[in-house]
Amino acid sequence: MGDRSRLCSVWLGSETGILKGVSLTRKQAFNFCDTRQLSRDQEVRVLSWGDPPAESELLLGLVDGTVRTFSTEKGAFTDARRCGDPQDGCFAGLAALSSSTLVSCTENGAVRVWAEDSREPVTKLEAGKTVCRMRQSPVSRNKVATGGKENGLKIWDLQRPEAALFSAKNLRDDWLALRRPHWVRDVAFIPDSDKVVTCTGYHQVHVFDPSTPQRRPVLEAEYGEYPLTALSLTASGSTVVVGNTQGQIALLDLRKGLVCGCLKGLSGGVRGLQCHPSQPVVASCGLDRFLRIHSLEDRRLLHKVYLKSRLNCLLLASLELEEGAGGQVEGQAEVKEEEEDEDEVWASLEQVEEETTKRKAAEKDEETQKKKKKKGKD
Amino acid sequence: MDFNEVPVTSERKSKKKKNKKAGNKRVSEAENGESAGVEKKSEEKIMENGESSAAFPPTFSVSEIKNKQRRHMMFMKLKQEKRKQKLQLRKKKKKERAALGDKAPPKEVPKTIENQRVFDETTVDPEDEEIAFDEGTDEFSAYFNRLTNPQVLITTSDRPRGKTVRFCEQLASVIPNAHVYYRRGLALKKIIPQCVARNFTYLMVVNEDRLVPNGLVLCHLPDGPTAHFKVSSVRLRKEIKRRGKDPTEHSPEVILNNFSTRLGHTIARLFAALFPQDPNFVGRQVATFHNQRDFIFFRFHRYIFKNEKKVGIQELGPRFTLKLRSLQKGTFDSKYGEYEWVLKRHEMDACRRKFQL
């Protein structure tokens, strides 16, 4: 199990309660679960890294309110603990604050901080009646953002849980002077700034800027006519990838809020989206039971993996690149050191193939050139 | 060795010709055929080519004739000739087959877009544990575990007219425990909780356009999924020739054909759960959902075993064709619901040999 799990670069949680790992270099998918003990109570709702820089532990938030820890080194579940009652609703977000404390958020808006080995939460706060998503800021780990239906964006500092750092104001009435409803479906912190981007169930994308006194969105963009369910920022933070319930994914530029491209190939609603932190690729999963990886540069479909169950959430490993030129060699070197002979053969084969193809192509070019020259002489 | 060498030379020839002339296709083809005259088939092809090239100069094509009548005449002649040759070829083949008798090679299977189907990775493997678990615990599991009995509410779009009303009545006679209700302008989202409270397991809405039914929403209750179909070629009982007497109250047997992918399985389960689990074999009635190229054909028959070998069937009607438009998770909510599968035209059906069900 251990050597399998170390290969995987994409992790997915499914509705049947199976944790799935996909290795793109070897084009293989693994199930990390006992298939005899499957049950719908163990449906994986959220996935996050237990120790973000190292990325050796996965936290799985299950529907019945337990959080399981999966070690990618050992390839097995190491720990399970209860975080909250089942009547609080299932998880809307989960994140690690440090190696042992974690913060969870349920759909009823209960944000809790759990320390190690204590059954009672250290910090409690209520983030409104319904919460669709809670996200942690990648820079300061005590900062979380929440939002839900009729519950605008709120940014909290977990050190000071009394009041929110920022709470969004209601949207301005529309041209008929009617109230516009709120429905935040997903949130993300824009790197290198205070700004936060949200997508809503009313197919809008909003950018909020807590550093200014304006509590209404500083940018509003619309995409399509179906609820946007997931969102992810690209590595540069200038474009955002959003997906909706019909399986349409679009890239929106955050400077003007214009659509700068759509990703094709999906057939069901999007549940999880994530861009790779360093490579220009985006992974998406959803109700159509496929993991798809698109290139952000030419928007082509790079990989498509059928994973047999509806997929709820998705997590990309930041270190292991899929097929980058420089990164792959490193990864393969590691593989060579650690794995059995077979893998070595595999890795070396792939390398050689690529090189030879390049060479062949080069040679062909040369040959054709020579031929042309000859013809010219004739 | 000769066999090998000959085509090589021909290629060279043709290449040279291409180099010399500006690639006259016909000539090169004819040359190729002539030089590679080893097989019988190819020999005949040469005959054709030879004849055509004998009839017209090599660069000639019928479309270049300016006189319309003459062009027409020449074209007809060309066609006739081609047909003649084809017939001759077929006769020859038949003769050969007859001569060979039992040793004749097996007949070629005709190529259809179904048997050339692109492999679908979601095709269900019956031994797969994960899919078995997924199917065993889905929304229809209550029906398949015999915990619920199907009860169907059939309604229409607002103010149904013409064929739609009769179509609903006939559907209700096919599906046991089905009740037709007048829509009364009610919203579907308001109907659904009432249906759930009254223990209905299905809500069926027939849409119409210009007096003809054209859509069907099939919503499984209490918690989905909802499928939206396009309905076409509806023939009611009255329009069917040689039909039997009206169907009886017995619950029919159900045949589901060709639902092979994961999506197909879900749709098949959706149809299966419409009918009671135990059919009354006394009634000898069968409802068939046959999937072919993603079109689902519905037929309703009565059968009889005439003797040990012969079976007679009699169509009872109605008959119609369905095509899946979307499958939505949860009960009907077309605006905010999450779709499990949506038909994306020009994106999904770009390949004619790829099927979804």
Side-chain angles (χ1 to χ4, degrees):
Chain A
M1 288 290 264
D3 46 276
R4 276 207 227 149
S5 63
R6 255 172 276 154
L7 285 172
C8 296
S9 49
V10 188
W11 296 93
L12 299 119
S14 71
E15 211 170 64
T16 47
I18 301 174
L19 175 72
K20 286 160 185 288
V22 178
S23 155
L24 292 172
T25 40
R26 291 182 59 169
K27 297 194 192 296
Q28 272 179 314
F30 307 105
N31 282 352
F32 294 98
C33 196
D34 196 358
T35 43
R36 277 158 285 166
Q37 291 179 341
L38 292 176
S39 86
R40 292 250 165 189
D41 304 335
Q42 296 183 339
E43 178 182 337
V44 185
R45 276 303 175 95
V46 281
L47 265 179
S48 75
W49 291 112
D51 43 351
E55 297 190 349
S56 62
E57 272 189 352
L58 274 170
L59 296 175
L60 287 83
L62 308 185
V63 147
D64 57 354
T66 49
V67 173
R68 295 180 84 181
T69 317
F70 180 84
S71 160
T72 55
E73 297 284 323
K74 294 171 194 159
F77 289 99
T78 51
D79 189 19
R81 54 171 157 175
R82 285 206 79 77
C83 292
D85 297 321
Q87 67 256 29
D88 270 354
C90 34
F91 288 111
L94 186 72
L97 287 179
S98 66
S99 58
S100 55
T101 53
L102 57 93
V103 55
S104 73
C105 177
T106 61
E107 282 183 342
N108 295 351
V111 180
R112 302 272 184 272
V113 179
W114 306 83
E116 197 177 16
D117 305 329
S118 66
R119 305 220 63 189
E120 287 302 308
V122 180
T123 320
K124 282 184 185 179
L125 61 91
E126 298 301 323
K129 274 183 184 163
T130 55
V131 170
C132 287
R133 197 63 63 102
M134 179 203 77
R135 292 273 176 145
Q136 187 189 29
S137 163
V139 186
S140 59
R141 291 166 81 186
N142 274 322
K143 227 171 163 187
V144 293
T146 58
K149 195 165 189 177
E150 290 310 317
N151 178 13
L153 172 77
K154 288 189 185 76
I155 301 174
W156 305 84
D157 188 354
L158 293 174
Q159 312 280 22
R160 281 169 289 163
E162 302 84 38
L165 287 180
F166 171 84
S167 63
K169 219 172 163 183
N170 65 332
L171 296 173
R172 210 176 285 281
D173 292 349
D174 65 2
W175 60 284
L176 288 172
L178 293 175
R179 199 187 83 88
R180 284 163 73 192
H182 271 273
W183 190 3
V184 178
R185 290 293 289 260
D186 204 347
V187 188
F189 286 89
I190 298 177
D192 308 325
S193 69
D194 286 345
K195 289 181 188 171
V196 175
V197 59
T198 64
C199 67
T200 69
Y202 304 103
H203 50 88
Q204 304 140 328
V205 174
H206 289 146
V207 178
F208 292 93
D209 194 351
S211 60
T212 57
Q214 188 180 355
R215 283 166 57 206
R216 288 199 169 110
V218 291
L219 179 88
E220 180 171 338
E222 291 207 348
Y223 171 65
E225 41 194 312
Y226 294 97
L228 299 174
T229 50
L231 149 157
S232 172
L233 279 166
T234 54
S236 60
S238 59
T239 40
V240 66
V241 186
V242 291
N244 69 10
T245 55
Q246 292 240 345
Q248 295 158 340
I249 299 183
L251 304 167
L252 289 167
D253 192 289
L254 284 182
R255 286 169 297 187
K256 281 194 81 181
L258 295 177
V259 178
C260 50
C262 296
L263 305 180
K264 278 190 181 178
L266 283 89
S267 55
V270 183
R271 279 274 175 95
L273 259 180
Q274 200 185 350
C275 295
H276 196 276
S278 51
Q279 276 185 303
V281 293
V282 59
S284 59
C285 71
L287 293 179
D288 58 353
R289 302 183 173 88
F290 275 97
L291 161 73
R292 285 186 176 82
I293 294 182
H294 287 87
S295 159
L296 283 173
E297 281 168 344
D298 50 2
R299 306 194 289 279
R300 233 166 7 100
L301 182 66
L302 300 176
H303 294 280
K304 181 178 163 189
V305 190
Y306 174 53
L307 291 169
K308 293 178 187 172
S309 326
R310 289 183 199 138
L311 305 165
N312 274 338
C313 44
L314 161 112
L315 203 60
L316 287 176
S318 61
L319 289 175
E320 291 169 49
L321 305 176
E322 282 95 46
E323 295 133 309
Q328 196 187 15
V329 179
E330 284 175 17
Q332 279 176 356
E334 279 176 17
V335 168
K336 269 180 200 172
E337 283 166 16
E338 287 163 11
E339 303 304 323
E340 310 92 358
D341 296 3
E342 284 179 16
D343 296 349
E344 220 176 294
V345 172
W346 256 89
S348 59
L349 259 180
E350 278 178 17
Q351 263 186 326
V352 170
E353 270 178 6
E354 279 178 9
E355 282 170 14
T356 47
T357 47
K358 275 177 194 170
R359 262 182 216 160
K360 269 182 188 173
E363 278 170 11
K364 270 184 188 173
D365 286 345
E366 282 175 13
E367 278 177 10
T368 48
Q369 281 175 359
K370 278 178 189 173
K371 275 183 185 174
K372 277 178 187 172
K373 279 180 187 173
K374 275 184 184 177
K375 275 178 189 174
K377 280 175 188 174
D378 287 340
Chain B
M1 288 304 285
D2 287 6
F3 178 84
N4 274 335
E5 278 176 6
V6 171
V8 171
T9 51
S10 75
E11 271 182 18
R12 273 182 199 164
K13 270 185 192 173
S14 59
K15 269 187 184 173
K16 276 180 187 171
K17 290 234 163 143
K18 266 183 192 173
N19 289 340
K20 282 177 185 173
K21 287 185 180 179
N24 192 330
K25 270 191 181 177
R26 271 206 174 183
V27 175
S28 65
E29 270 174 33
E31 289 243 350
N32 264 335
E34 271 173 290
S35 53
V38 184
E39 276 182 310
K40 279 184 182 176
K41 278 184 189 172
S42 54
E43 228 173 350
E44 278 153 13
K45 271 185 189 170
I46 307 156
M47 291 285 284
E48 291 172 21
N49 280 333
E51 276 177 19
S52 58
S53 58
F56 311 109
T59 53
F60 180 82
S61 79
V62 179
S63 59
E64 276 172 29
I65 301 172
K66 299 247 167 83
N67 186 324
K68 189 176 179 180
Q69 280 170 326
R70 218 177 137 64
R71 183 170 67 224
H72 180 71
M73 214 174 68
M74 290 297 269
F75 183 68
M76 295 309 277
K77 249 186 196 173
L78 194 84
K79 274 211 129 180
Q80 265 179 359
E81 219 156 79
K82 270 192 180 169
R83 202 190 298 147
K84 248 183 202 171
Q85 275 164 6
K86 217 177 177 181
L87 272 173
Q88 270 180 354
L89 200 88
R90 202 178 280 174
K91 251 185 193 172
K92 208 177 171 184
K93 266 194 175 174
K94 213 176 179 183
K95 252 185 198 172
E96 274 173 19
R97 282 190 76 83
L100 283 169
D102 294 338
K103 289 175 194 169
K107 272 190 180 172
E108 284 173 24
V109 182
K111 269 190 188 176
T112 59
I113 59 171
E114 285 132 281
N115 63 27
Q116 302 294 309
R117 179 176 184 168
V118 178
F119 174 72
D120 196 308
E121 58 264 71
T122 67
T123 308
V124 176
D125 174 15
E127 285 163 13
D128 199 300
E129 275 182 11
E130 192 183 333
I131 293 174
F133 168 76
D134 195 10
E135 280 196 340
T137 53
D138 67 356
E139 294 92 339
F140 309 109
S141 55
Y143 164 80
F144 284 99
N145 297 335
R146 294 171 185 265
L147 298 173
T148 56
N149 263 334
Q151 218 182 353
V152 185
L153 190 150
I154 301 176
T155 185
T156 60
S157 54
D158 226 352
R159 295 180 196 278
R161 293 166 70 200
K163 238 179 168 182
T164 318
V165 183
R166 271 166 289 140
F167 180 59
C168 286
E169 279 167 11
Q170 298 194 1
L171 268 181
S173 70
V174 170
I175 304 166
N177 298 329
H179 308 272
V180 183
Y181 283 89
Y182 188 65
R183 175 79 172 262
R184 292 191 2 225
L186 290 168
L188 279 186
K189 282 188 200 170
K190 282 186 181 166
I191 298 177
I192 286 168
Q194 295 181 24
C195 288
V196 174
R198 287 176 173 75
N199 285 329
F200 279 100
T201 61
Y202 270 100
L203 172 69
M204 205 186 230
V205 185
V206 182
N207 263 316
E208 75 162 11
D209 181 33
R210 299 174 201 183
L211 311 184
V212 178
N214 75 334
L216 180 74
V217 176
L218 198 54
C219 178
H220 184 251
L221 302 173
D223 36 32
T226 307
H228 181 207
F229 295 98
K230 178 176 87 176
V231 180
S232 58
S233 11
V234 178
R235 311 251 330 251
L236 298 178
R237 247 163 231 157
K238 229 177 180 178
E239 302 158 45
I240 291 172
K241 284 177 184 170
R242 291 181 292 281
R243 73 191 154 94
K245 283 177 185 166
D246 282 352
T248 50
E249 296 274 286
H250 299 98
S251 61
E253 296 153 54
V254 183
I255 298 175
L256 298 155
N257 275 346
N258 282 344
F259 293 94
S260 59
T261 64
R262 187 67 191 79
L263 176 71
H265 263 234
T266 313
I267 297 299
R269 284 171 79 85
L270 185 80
F271 286 133
L274 267 176
F275 296 88
Q277 283 254 357
D278 307 296
N280 299 119
F281 292 105
V282 189
R284 306 198 318 274
Q285 294 178 140
V286 196
T288 314
F289 292 91
H290 175 84
N291 169 34
Q292 193 168 1
R293 303 181 185 187
D294 285 354
F295 287 93
I296 301 159
F297 300 94
F298 175 82
R299 298 288 183 272
F300 193 52
H301 291 286
R302 181 181 290 139
Y303 62 84
I304 188 161
F305 291 108
K306 284 178 177 165
N307 52 41
E308 281 175 357
K309 283 174 188 168
K310 272 191 174 176
V311 183
I313 56 170
Q314 188 178 48
E315 187 162 357
L316 304 179
R319 63 165 86 143
F320 52 90
T321 309
L322 301 172
K323 186 152 199 287
L324 187 64
R325 282 263 182 80
S326 67
L327 181 68
Q328 184 217 320
K329 197 176 155 41
T331 54
F332 180 83
D333 188 350
S334 54
K335 202 170 176 189
Y336 299 115
E338 276 190 291
Y339 286 83
E340 209 176 311
W341 183 86
V342 188
L343 175 69
K344 290 185 176 164
R345 293 188 58 204
H346 311 302
E347 192 181 321
M348 280 178 177
D349 49 18
C351 177
R352 273 156 50 84
R353 293 181 291 123
K354 171 103 183 125
F355 300 112
Q356 307 288 339
L357 289 178

